[in-house]
Amino acid sequence: MNSDFNNKRECPIVSLHLIRDAIETASDEWIQYLDIETMEIVRLPEYPFAGEYDEEEQALADLIEEKWQIRFFRLPSKLDIHEYSIMEKFIWSLPEGKMQDSLENAIRGKGAFRRFKDGIYRFGIEQQWYDFQENKYRTLAIEWCENHNFAYHESSPMTAAVVSENAIKQPTPAADTAAAASMQRDTTIAAASAPGSTAENRNAGYSVRSSGDEKNAAENLAWEEIRTEHIIQDEWIDFRRSAYRFPDGSVFEPYYSYSRRDYVVIVAQDEEGRYLCVRQFRQGIREVTTEFPAGGIERTDGREYSVGRNGAAAEDALEAAKRELLEETGYVSAEWKHLLTVPSNATIADNYAHIYAAGNCRKAGGQHLDETEFLHVKQYTAKEIETLISNGNFQQAVHILAWLLTQRR
């Protein structure tokens, strides 16, 4: 296969859904490529650890170098997408008046993205923004396909053989594609050689293959959301009923899911080495439980749940952990360590639990409980906690995970 696809038979047929999702989740930490042989997104760290790829990353980098613009094609970076420009265009699309003026002022200066997100929630136009943003991502995906002379279809990623011929959009001739490809390649090689460290990248529902993943070109497990009804959407919860299309094309409904706010769990140890726990009633199982101090990350937008994973509207997780420990137990600590951040219930909820350890905690005052909180503070040895867990008297799953994480350190 060569890079000059001039007829329909040789032209790769690319899923626009795949490219759009890759653009939407572009990160400063990763360089993304489309592998047209497997129709997967592959990635390399923008800043390899200590300036060097590990063995598997290097093998992928060598393969990309060998098959550049033949099999591998670099996708737009975060810089290429111009998120700030998309925000500006969205604001200009709004009716003239107070809302437009407020948002225009919000995006001036440092912290523009956070103030913009706060603004769209305040005015209740977040869905309007998401629709506008998604349309821009789709436009960028189409432009990318046409610049590379790729045909594309609107469906979720699948093999070209099952795509209807009528659904395939043939590209228009791209001007000076070779020169653009050469410039893009130079930029990628320069970025890939820069020193730095890697960071976590969340998969947003399409097949992303890094050097360590299983190389299964046929794997496509993402569900496609067809429609969603918000049964309850108030300041406390967003409870939804949705219809999804499965990878095999079948449709399932209803599927229920919800949003609640992120929260923190703190494994706190006092100066005598005892672990601080709380006893309180949990209405879900209708029992009084023993667990670690924990609580929700407070938000500035008046809601009790995350909207579109908008971290800008939430307090810092570590600050939330310090606040919750003090409020629930009256203890403070100068020794904090983040252990893990995990989905609270990945099957039906989109919130996350941030797990921390706090050492040498000392008493600094009394409890400051919310009006719905009724709990007692207890201290346990490590052996006692192990017994509680074994006997089924320490029942919160994420809290048990937190305990196990502290014991393996």
Side-chain angles (χ1 to χ4, degrees), residues 29-31 43-49 53 57 191-192 197-199:
E29 310 295 337
W30 299 92
I31 305 171
R43 64 182 187 174
L44 286 171
E46 178 86 55
Y47 306 110
F49 182 71
Y53 294 126
E57 290 168 346
S197 61
T198 61

Side-chain angles (χ1 to χ4, degrees), residues 229-247:
E229 174 190 358
H230 296 271
I231 300 174
I232 299 174
Q233 190 178 37
D234 56 20
E235 71 272 25
W236 299 104
I237 194 169
D238 179 11
F239 188 71
R240 303 176 293 271
R241 177 169 54 209
S242 303
Y244 284 94
R245 180 174 289 109
F246 289 161

Side-chain angles (χ1 to χ4, degrees), residues 358-394:
N360 286 316
C361 298
R362 60 179 178 82
K363 189 73 170 176
Q367 294 172 297
H368 299 279
L369 302 176
D370 294 337
E371 60 182 8
T372 59
E373 289 184 312
F374 301 88
L375 54 86
H376 294 155
V377 179
K378 298 287 185 179
Q379 284 113 338
Y380 295 97
T381 65
K383 184 176 180 180
E384 287 171 333
I385 290 182
E386 290 284 356
T387 300
L388 287 170
I389 294 174
S390 297
N391 292 341
N393 296 321
F394 196 96

Side-chain angles (χ1 to χ4, degrees), residues 276-317:
L276 303 175
C277 294
V278 293
R279 295 270 295 162
Q280 61 184 313
F281 180 75
R282 289 302 187 186
Q283 64 275 25
I285 59 174
R286 293 176 174 80
E287 291 184 25
V288 175
T289 67
T290 300
E291 57 195 59
F292 294 121
I297 296 177
E298 293 185 352
R299 299 180 59 82
T300 60
D301 56 7
R303 291 182 173 174
E304 290 291 317
Y305 59 88
S306 297
V307 183
R309 306 302 315 144
N310 175 32
E315 70 176 316
D316 178 78

Side-chain angles (χ1 to χ4, degrees), residues 39-342:
M39 284 303 166
E40 290 181 295
I41 306 299
V42 298
R43 64 182 187 174
L44 286 171
E46 178 86 55
Y47 306 110
F49 182 71
E52 295 182 357
Y53 294 126
D54 64 28
E55 184 177 345
E56 291 184 339
E57 290 168 346
Q58 188 60 56
L60 178 58
D62 291 342
L63 183 59
I64 291 173
E65 176 74 17
E66 178 185 352
K67 301 291 185 178
W68 178 257
Q69 294 296 117
I70 298 173
R71 174 179 170 182
F72 296 96
F73 296 82
R74 186 173 184 263
L75 290 158
S77 67
K78 196 76 172 174
L79 183 63
D80 298 326
I81 295 169
H82 302 300
E83 289 280 359
Y84 187 87
S85 175
I86 296 176
M87 286 195 310
E88 279 189 318
K89 291 175 181 176
F90 172 72
I91 294 170
W92 296 337
S93 74
L94 298 172
E96 293 184 1
K98 179 181 177 180
M99 180 167 60
Q100 188 185 70
D101 293 341
S102 175
L103 290 174
E104 277 193 313
N105 290 331
I107 64 172
R108 307 303 176 202
K110 188 176 180 180
F113 288 90
R114 175 185 58 79
R115 291 193 301 272
F116 173 78
K117 289 293 182 66
D118 289 346
I120 63 172
Y121 293 125
R122 187 171 67 253
F123 289 114
I125 57 172
E126 58 267 32
Q127 190 58 54
Q128 189 175 341
W129 158 246
Y130 293 143
D131 292 343
F132 183 91
Q133 187 181 41
E134 183 174 349
N135 184 62
K136 290 298 180 184
Y137 289 151
R138 180 180 179 277
T139 299
L140 287 171
I142 291 174
E143 291 175 353
W144 186 87
C145 289
E146 294 189 340
N147 287 341
H148 290 81
N149 205 27
F150 293 162
Y152 57 88
H153 60 82
E154 300 280 353
S155 306
S156 298
M158 62 179 74
T159 60
V162 300
V163 180
S164 167
E165 183 174 335
N166 292 331
I168 298 170
K169 306 293 192 301
Q170 292 298 326
T172 56
D176 201 9
T177 304
S182 177
M183 182 183 300
Q184 188 182 51
R185 182 187 187 195
D186 292 342
T187 303
T188 304
I189 293 173
S193 62
S197 61
T198 61
E200 179 183 357
N201 182 24
R202 283 188 186 157
N203 186 337
Y206 60 91
S207 179
V208 177
R209 174 167 63 85
S210 61
S211 54
D213 296 332
E214 290 188 10
K215 299 173 176 59
N216 183 358
E219 183 175 60
N220 171 38
L221 302 177
W223 297 5
E224 179 185 357
E225 186 178 284
I226 300 173
R227 59 184 172 274
T228 291
E229 174 190 358
H230 296 271
I231 300 174
I232 299 174
Q233 190 178 37
D234 56 20
E235 71 272 25
W236 299 104
I237 194 169
D238 179 11
F239 188 71
R240 303 176 293 271
R241 177 169 54 209
S242 303
Y244 284 94
R245 180 174 289 109
F246 289 161
D248 64 0
S250 61
V251 173
F252 176 83
E253 62 178 315
Y255 190 91
Y256 295 97
S257 62
Y258 65 89
S259 294
R260 288 297 306 270
R261 62 175 168 170
D262 293 353
Y263 63 97
V264 293
V265 175
I266 308 104
V267 183
Q269 200 171 15
D270 67 15
E271 293 171 314
E272 283 73 43
R274 297 170 300 177
Y275 291 90
L276 303 175
C277 294
V278 293
R279 295 270 295 162
Q280 61 184 313
F281 180 75
R282 289 302 187 186
Q283 64 275 25
I285 59 174
R286 293 176 174 80
E287 291 184 25
V288 175
T289 67
T290 300
E291 57 195 59
F292 294 121
I297 296 177
E298 293 185 352
R299 299 180 59 82
T300 60
D301 56 7
R303 291 182 173 174
E304 290 291 317
Y305 59 88
S306 297
V307 183
R309 306 302 315 144
N310 175 32
E315 70 176 316
D316 178 78
L318 177 57
E319 292 305 311
K322 293 178 179 179
R323 174 181 53 76
E324 286 293 336
L325 179 64
L326 178 61
E327 289 177 356
E328 291 196 353
T329 69
Y331 280 76
V332 297
S333 173
E335 300 176 13
W336 289 88
K337 181 178 181 180
H338 176 253
L339 299 178
L340 192 64
T341 295
V342 294

